[in-house]
Amino acid sequence: MKIPLALRRTLLLAACAFGAFGALPAAIAQRRSDTVEGRFGKLDGLRFDQLPFQDAIKVVHGDGKRQIAVFSDPNCGHCKRVDQDLKTLGNVTVHVFLYPVLGEDSSAKARKLWCARDSARQWEAWIASGTEPAAPAGPCDASALQRNAALGRKLGIRGTPALVFSDSTFVPGAIPVRWIEQLLAAAGPR
């Protein structure tokens, strides 16, 4: 079936007009999304250096001069992406506060990860390749998980990931890697 020339022109003009008008809002949104400035607030009543780091898994990428705390559920896909982004950025110490909110399987994995002989290495293996954490060989004090849950409630964390930068900037949820870099740079080394 051959489409008449007049109809083809009309369709082409309509497509161009739609594309031109459709691109304008997208261009504005793209420009606006490149900056993180003013989007997130600071934690109320708690400074970064007051976080209970003894209840977190410490993972160092590069020289680790920049710091961030991440409340993370082992089964959270966005948490895994943020962790991989942080590894890619490098030169950051990540304090992973296990915060299992996605069910019993998350709680069981969090306990196994916390109780692992080398919890940082086990966390990285879980994130990178999905290597299932082994059951603890012996007794393990996993009370840090309950303390993390209480801290999360106190801070108003309702989901994962939740990021806390060293200047106490709080970000509820996953954000683009370029924003993470901007917030790390703004926070400076601690």
Side-chain angles (χ1 to χ4, degrees):
M1 176 178 165
K2 193 169 186 176
I3 300 174
L5 184 60
L7 180 57
R8 281 191 289 174
R9 282 187 186 148
T10 303
L11 291 172
L12 181 59
L13 288 172
C16 289
F18 178 78
F21 291 119
L24 184 60
I28 292 169
Q30 176 63 36
R31 187 174 60 236
R32 193 173 55 215
S33 69
D34 283 345
T35 180
V36 70
E37 189 176 334
R39 289 183 181 260
F40 306 107
K42 307 282 186 192
L43 285 176
D44 288 331
L46 184 70
R47 292 189 335 254
F48 182 83
D49 59 358
Q50 294 174 324
L51 289 171
F53 296 113
Q54 72 277 5
D55 291 341
I57 297 172
K58 181 179 178 181
V59 179
V60 179
H61 302 298
D63 65 17
K65 68 181 176 184
R66 305 179 295 178
Q67 292 195 52
I68 188 171
V70 180
F71 287 78
S72 194
D73 184 297
N75 287 329
C76 167
H78 293 295
C79 299
K80 291 177 182 179
R81 194 201 81 219
V82 165
D83 199 81
Q84 290 168 344
D85 288 347
L86 288 166
K87 185 174 186 173
T88 301
L89 289 175
N91 297 332
V92 62
T93 298
V94 183
H95 303 277
V96 180
F97 287 86
L98 294 172
Y99 195 65
V101 294
L102 297 176
E104 281 302 312
D105 185 57
S106 291
S107 296
K109 283 181 183 142
R111 181 174 168 26
K112 291 176 186 177
L113 286 161
W114 180 254
C115 294
R117 181 181 308 238
D118 185 346
S119 57
R121 183 177 298 183
Q122 185 63 59
W123 174 256
E124 287 189 296
W126 171 248
I127 294 298
S129 61
T131 302
E132 190 79 25
C140 170
D141 179 12
S143 59
L145 300 177
Q146 286 77 33
R147 290 190 298 273
N148 290 349
L151 177 61
R153 284 189 300 274
K154 176 182 172 187
L155 297 176
I157 296 173
R158 292 181 182 83
T160 57
L163 305 118
V164 181
F165 292 82
S166 61
D167 64 352
S168 298
T169 297
F170 176 71
V171 177
I175 57 175
V177 67
R178 68 182 179 278
W179 289 9
I180 294 172
E181 179 61 46
Q182 289 174 18
L183 289 167
L184 283 169
R190 296 277 188 243

